[in-house]
Amino acid sequence: SWDFYRDFADIIAEAHKNGAVIWSVVYDLIPILYPELVINKLFKENFIHWQELVLQQCDGILCISRTTADYVIQYYNDRKLKRNKPLQINYFNMGFNIPSNKDGARDTIKKFVQRIPTFLMVGTVEPRKGHEVALAAFKKIFQTQVKAQLLIIGQDGWKNDEFLNALHNDEDMSAKIMWISDANDEELRWAYKNTCALIAASKDEGFGLPLIEAAHFGLPIICSDIPIFREVAGENATYFKVL
Protein backbone atom coordinates (compact mmCIF):
# COMPACT_ATOMS: atom_id res chain seq x y z
CA SER A 1 0.00 0.00 0.00
CA TRP A 2 2.92 2.40 0.62
CA ASP A 3 3.35 3.23 -3.07
CA PHE A 4 -0.31 4.29 -3.30
CA TYR A 5 -0.47 6.69 -0.37
CA ARG A 6 -1.98 9.45 -2.55
CA ASP A 7 -4.86 7.17 -3.57
CA PHE A 8 -5.45 6.09 0.01
CA ALA A 9 -5.69 9.70 1.18
CA ASP A 10 -8.80 10.09 -1.02
CA ILE A 11 -10.14 6.64 -0.08
CA ILE A 12 -9.86 7.38 3.65
CA ALA A 13 -11.50 10.81 3.23
CA GLU A 14 -14.39 9.28 1.26
CA ALA A 15 -14.83 6.49 3.82
CA HIS A 16 -14.99 9.04 6.62
CA LYS A 17 -17.70 10.94 4.74
CA ASN A 18 -19.74 7.73 4.78
CA GLY A 19 -19.31 7.25 8.53
CA ALA A 20 -16.54 4.65 8.50
CA VAL A 21 -14.05 4.27 11.34
CA ILE A 22 -10.58 3.45 10.04
CA TRP A 23 -7.64 1.88 11.87
CA SER A 24 -4.27 1.07 10.36
CA VAL A 25 -1.91 -1.69 11.48
CA VAL A 26 1.76 -0.71 11.83
CA TYR A 27 4.31 -3.52 11.95
CA ASP A 28 7.42 -1.40 12.43
CA LEU A 29 9.13 1.90 11.58
CA ILE A 30 12.42 0.28 10.55
CA PRO A 31 12.85 2.20 7.24
CA ILE A 32 12.53 5.42 9.28
CA LEU A 33 14.66 4.31 12.24
CA TYR A 34 17.39 2.68 10.12
CA PRO A 35 17.39 4.30 6.66
CA GLU A 36 20.88 2.94 5.96
CA LEU A 37 19.38 -0.56 5.79
CA VAL A 38 16.70 0.32 3.24
CA ILE A 39 16.93 -0.83 -0.38
CA ASN A 40 16.51 2.58 -2.01
CA LYS A 41 15.51 6.18 -1.43
CA LEU A 42 12.08 5.89 -3.06
CA PHE A 43 11.15 2.96 -0.81
CA LYS A 44 12.00 5.03 2.26
CA GLU A 45 10.18 8.14 1.00
CA ASN A 46 6.98 6.25 0.18
CA PHE A 47 7.11 4.48 3.54
CA ILE A 48 7.35 7.85 5.34
CA HIS A 49 4.48 9.32 3.28
CA TRP A 50 2.32 6.29 4.10
CA GLN A 51 3.04 6.40 7.83
CA GLU A 52 2.34 10.12 8.06
CA LEU A 53 -0.88 9.65 6.07
CA VAL A 54 -2.27 7.05 8.48
CA LEU A 55 -1.07 8.98 11.54
CA GLN A 56 -2.88 12.10 10.35
CA GLN A 57 -6.03 10.64 8.78
CA CYS A 58 -6.87 7.31 10.42
CA ASP A 59 -8.98 7.16 13.57
CA GLY A 60 -6.50 4.88 15.28
CA ILE A 61 -3.30 2.88 14.97
CA LEU A 62 -2.82 -0.76 15.97
CA CYS A 63 0.80 -1.91 16.42
CA ILE A 64 2.07 -5.48 16.64
CA SER A 65 3.94 -4.84 19.90
CA ARG A 66 4.17 -2.32 22.70
CA THR A 67 7.71 -1.51 21.58
CA THR A 68 6.47 -0.58 18.10
CA ALA A 69 3.66 1.48 19.64
CA ASP A 70 6.25 3.41 21.67
CA TYR A 71 8.25 4.11 18.49
CA VAL A 72 5.11 5.31 16.70
CA ILE A 73 4.11 7.63 19.55
CA GLN A 74 7.63 9.08 19.66
CA TYR A 75 7.66 9.61 15.90
CA TYR A 76 4.19 11.22 15.96
CA ASN A 77 5.27 13.63 18.69
CA ASP A 78 8.63 14.43 17.07
CA ARG A 79 7.02 15.23 13.71
CA LYS A 80 4.30 17.36 15.35
CA LEU A 81 1.73 15.97 12.95
CA LYS A 82 -1.65 17.72 12.90
CA ARG A 83 -4.97 15.93 13.33
CA ASN A 84 -8.62 16.93 13.66
CA LYS A 85 -9.02 14.78 16.78
CA PRO A 86 -6.73 12.90 19.20
CA LEU A 87 -4.92 9.84 17.89
CA GLN A 88 -5.97 6.50 19.36
CA ILE A 89 -3.17 3.94 19.55
CA ASN A 90 -3.07 0.39 20.85
CA TYR A 91 -1.19 -2.84 20.23
CA PHE A 92 -1.67 -6.59 20.03
CA ASN A 93 0.81 -9.45 20.07
CA MET A 94 1.31 -11.86 17.21
CA GLY A 95 1.07 -15.60 17.74
CA PHE A 96 2.35 -18.95 16.53
CA ASN A 97 0.71 -20.38 13.43
CA ILE A 98 2.50 -22.80 11.12
CA PRO A 99 -0.57 -24.29 9.40
CA SER A 100 0.44 -27.93 9.07
CA ASN A 101 0.80 -30.92 11.37
CA LYS A 102 3.17 -32.68 9.00
CA ASP A 103 6.80 -32.99 10.04
CA GLY A 104 8.91 -33.49 6.97
CA ALA A 105 12.04 -32.05 5.41
CA ARG A 106 14.10 -32.78 2.32
CA ASP A 107 16.89 -35.32 2.85
CA THR A 108 19.66 -32.72 2.51
CA ILE A 109 18.27 -30.79 5.51
CA LYS A 110 17.75 -33.93 7.62
CA LYS A 111 21.22 -35.30 6.92
CA PHE A 112 22.81 -31.93 7.73
CA VAL A 113 20.94 -31.38 11.01
CA GLN A 114 21.35 -34.95 12.26
CA ARG A 115 25.11 -34.86 11.72
CA ILE A 116 26.15 -32.69 14.71
CA PRO A 117 24.37 -30.21 17.05
CA THR A 118 22.75 -27.58 14.85
CA PHE A 119 21.59 -24.04 15.64
CA LEU A 120 18.80 -22.34 13.69
CA MET A 121 18.19 -18.87 12.27
CA VAL A 122 14.80 -18.00 10.70
CA GLY A 123 13.97 -14.92 8.64
CA THR A 124 14.81 -13.02 5.48
CA VAL A 125 18.55 -12.69 5.00
CA GLU A 126 19.32 -8.96 5.02
CA PRO A 127 21.69 -6.75 7.08
CA ARG A 128 19.24 -5.91 9.89
CA LYS A 129 18.86 -9.60 10.82
CA GLY A 130 22.49 -9.94 11.96
CA HIS A 131 23.47 -13.04 10.01
CA GLU A 132 27.02 -11.71 9.68
CA VAL A 133 27.29 -11.64 13.48
CA ALA A 134 26.29 -15.30 13.61
CA LEU A 135 28.80 -16.15 10.89
CA ALA A 136 31.59 -14.42 12.83
CA ALA A 137 30.64 -16.35 15.97
CA PHE A 138 30.58 -19.70 14.17
CA LYS A 139 33.90 -18.95 12.51
CA LYS A 140 35.40 -18.78 16.01
CA ILE A 141 33.61 -21.99 17.00
CA PHE A 142 34.94 -23.81 13.94
CA GLN A 143 38.48 -23.06 15.14
CA THR A 144 37.85 -25.02 18.35
CA GLN A 145 36.97 -28.64 19.13
CA VAL A 146 33.32 -27.75 19.77
CA LYS A 147 30.94 -29.58 17.46
CA ALA A 148 28.30 -27.15 16.20
CA GLN A 149 26.85 -25.94 12.92
CA LEU A 150 24.21 -23.51 11.66
CA LEU A 151 21.03 -23.90 9.59
CA ILE A 152 19.62 -20.68 8.09
CA ILE A 153 16.03 -20.67 6.81
CA GLY A 154 14.95 -17.50 5.04
CA GLN A 155 14.50 -15.84 1.69
CA ASP A 156 17.30 -13.89 0.04
CA GLY A 157 16.74 -10.23 0.85
CA TRP A 158 19.06 -7.35 -0.04
CA LYS A 159 22.57 -5.95 0.55
CA ASN A 160 23.93 -9.46 1.12
CA ASP A 161 27.25 -9.30 -0.73
CA GLU A 162 29.40 -9.43 2.41
CA PHE A 163 27.31 -12.25 3.85
CA LEU A 164 27.57 -14.29 0.65
CA ASN A 165 31.32 -13.75 0.40
CA ALA A 166 31.83 -14.87 4.00
CA LEU A 167 29.62 -17.91 3.45
CA HIS A 168 31.12 -19.15 0.20
CA ASN A 169 34.79 -18.20 0.45
CA ASP A 170 35.56 -20.23 3.56
CA GLU A 171 35.73 -24.02 3.52
CA ASP A 172 34.40 -24.46 7.07
CA MET A 173 31.57 -22.03 6.43
CA SER A 174 30.50 -23.86 3.28
CA ALA A 175 30.59 -27.24 5.01
CA LYS A 176 29.01 -26.32 8.35
CA ILE A 177 26.50 -23.61 7.46
CA MET A 178 23.46 -24.48 5.34
CA TRP A 179 21.20 -21.76 3.94
CA ILE A 180 17.75 -22.83 2.69
CA SER A 181 15.98 -19.97 0.91
CA ASP A 182 12.89 -21.92 -0.20
CA ALA A 183 11.81 -23.92 2.86
CA ASN A 184 8.13 -24.79 3.20
CA ASP A 185 6.05 -24.88 6.39
CA GLU A 186 6.71 -28.58 7.00
CA GLU A 187 10.47 -28.06 6.76
CA LEU A 188 10.32 -25.05 9.10
CA ARG A 189 8.33 -27.08 11.62
CA TRP A 190 10.82 -29.95 11.36
CA ALA A 191 13.74 -27.55 11.88
CA TYR A 192 12.21 -26.06 15.03
CA LYS A 193 11.76 -29.59 16.41
CA ASN A 194 15.21 -30.93 15.56
CA THR A 195 17.72 -28.14 16.21
CA CYS A 196 19.43 -27.12 19.46
CA ALA A 197 18.49 -23.44 19.76
CA LEU A 198 17.19 -20.48 17.80
CA ILE A 199 19.56 -17.58 17.16
CA ALA A 200 17.86 -14.21 16.56
CA ALA A 201 20.57 -11.60 15.99
CA SER A 202 18.45 -8.71 14.70
CA LYS A 203 19.33 -5.06 15.15
CA ASP A 204 15.61 -4.38 15.60
CA GLU A 205 12.21 -5.92 14.89
CA GLY A 206 8.56 -4.99 14.94
CA PHE A 207 7.83 -8.16 16.93
CA GLY A 208 10.13 -11.11 16.21
CA LEU A 209 7.81 -13.99 15.32
CA PRO A 210 10.51 -16.72 15.25
CA LEU A 211 10.89 -16.31 19.03
CA ILE A 212 7.25 -17.26 19.53
CA GLU A 213 7.52 -20.13 17.06
CA ALA A 214 10.64 -21.45 18.80
CA ALA A 215 8.95 -21.17 22.20
CA HIS A 216 5.99 -23.20 20.92
CA PHE A 217 8.36 -26.11 20.25
CA GLY A 218 10.34 -25.62 23.46
CA LEU A 219 13.41 -24.56 21.52
CA PRO A 220 15.89 -22.46 23.56
CA ILE A 221 16.38 -18.87 22.34
CA ILE A 222 19.65 -16.94 21.97
CA CYS A 223 18.93 -13.37 20.87
CA SER A 224 20.21 -9.82 20.67
CA ASP A 225 19.39 -7.62 23.64
CA ILE A 226 16.88 -5.24 22.08
CA PRO A 227 13.65 -3.87 23.63
CA ILE A 228 11.28 -5.88 21.46
CA PHE A 229 12.98 -9.20 22.24
CA ARG A 230 12.84 -8.35 25.96
CA GLU A 231 9.12 -7.66 25.52
CA VAL A 232 8.48 -10.94 23.69
CA ALA A 233 10.81 -13.35 25.53
CA GLY A 234 11.31 -11.72 28.94
CA GLU A 235 13.65 -13.85 31.03
CA ASN A 236 13.11 -16.88 28.79
CA ALA A 237 16.07 -16.23 26.50
CA THR A 238 19.85 -15.86 26.55
CA TYR A 239 20.77 -12.33 25.41
CA PHE A 240 23.87 -10.89 23.75
CA LYS A 241 24.82 -7.33 22.83
CA VAL A 242 23.22 -6.26 19.54
CA LEU A 243 25.49 -6.68 16.49
Side-chain angles (χ1 to χ4, degrees):
S1 59
W2 307 335
D3 293 338
F4 304 100
Y5 63 90
R6 292 185 182 89
D7 299 319
F8 273 91
D10 295 334
I11 292 168
I12 292 170
E14 185 67 23
H16 275 149
K17 284 181 185 177
N18 287 284
V21 175
I22 302 170
W23 286 66
S24 179
V25 175
V26 175
Y27 273 63
D28 61 64
L29 295 184
I30 283 165
I32 294 172
L33 297 173
Y34 309 102
E36 71 278 8
L37 302 178
V38 173
I39 306 172
N40 59 54
K41 185 179 178 183
L42 181 62
F43 178 95
K44 175 193 167 188
E45 289 176 351
N46 286 354
F47 183 86
I48 290 173
H49 286 310
W50 171 261
Q51 296 302 333
E52 297 197 351
L53 165 71
V54 299
L55 285 169
Q56 288 178 295
Q57 288 192 229
C58 288
D59 297 285
I61 301 294
L62 279 171
C63 300
I64 61 169
S65 64
R66 181 171 181 171
T67 300
T68 297
D70 289 342
Y71 286 144
V72 171
I73 292 167
Q74 185 66 51
Y75 181 75
Y76 173 76
N77 290 334
D78 289 346
R79 295 288 288 173
K80 295 181 171 58
L81 299 173
K82 290 183 170 55
R83 291 177 51 87
N84 295 325
K85 56 184 177 180
L87 175 67
Q88 298 183 69
I89 187 162
N90 213 320
Y91 67 93
F92 63 93
N93 291 142
M94 301 178 78
F96 164 83
N97 180 27
I98 300 179
S100 171
N101 291 320
K102 296 178 182 177
D103 293 327
R106 67 194 80 172
D107 287 342
T108 51
I109 297 175
K110 287 183 177 180
K111 288 177 181 177
F112 178 78
V113 170
Q114 292 168 349
R115 188 172 60 182
I116 59 174
T118 304
F119 292 78
L120 175 68
M121 294 185 80
V122 176
T124 303
V125 178
E126 45 107 342
R128 175 174 57 90
K129 299 287 187 177
H131 290 86
E132 287 186 51
V133 175
L135 260 59
F138 275 89
K139 187 170 185 177
K140 291 181 179 179
I141 290 173
F142 296 155
Q143 294 169 355
T144 71
Q145 298 301 311
V146 175
K147 290 185 177 181
Q149 58 185 16
L150 176 64
L151 172 65
I152 299 170
I153 291 181
Q155 294 181 340
D156 189 3
W158 49 89
K159 295 188 175 182
N160 286 328
D161 290 347
E162 290 184 25
F163 170 78
L164 290 170
N165 288 336
L167 189 61
H168 296 309
N169 294 335
D170 184 294
E171 198 171 309
D172 278 336
M173 293 285 190
S174 300
K176 296 179 181 177
I177 296 178
M178 176 178 281
W179 177 16
I180 303 296
S181 60
D182 62 347
N184 58 37
D185 286 339
E186 287 76 20
E187 290 175 323
L188 182 60
R189 178 184 288 271
W190 188 91
Y192 277 127
K193 282 189 168 186
N194 290 277
T195 51
C196 296
L198 175 78
I199 298 173
S202 300
K203 183 173 184 177
D204 208 346
E205 292 282 350
F207 183 73
L209 193 58
L211 273 65
I212 297 298
E213 294 174 343
H216 175 86
F217 291 109
L219 187 66
I221 298 166
I222 304 168
C223 61
S224 48
D225 196 352
I226 55 178
I228 185 56
F229 286 168
R230 287 282 181 179
E231 178 184 342
V232 172
E235 298 304 312
N236 302 299
T238 299
Y239 295 92
F240 59 90
K241 188 176 179 181
V242 62
L243 296 187

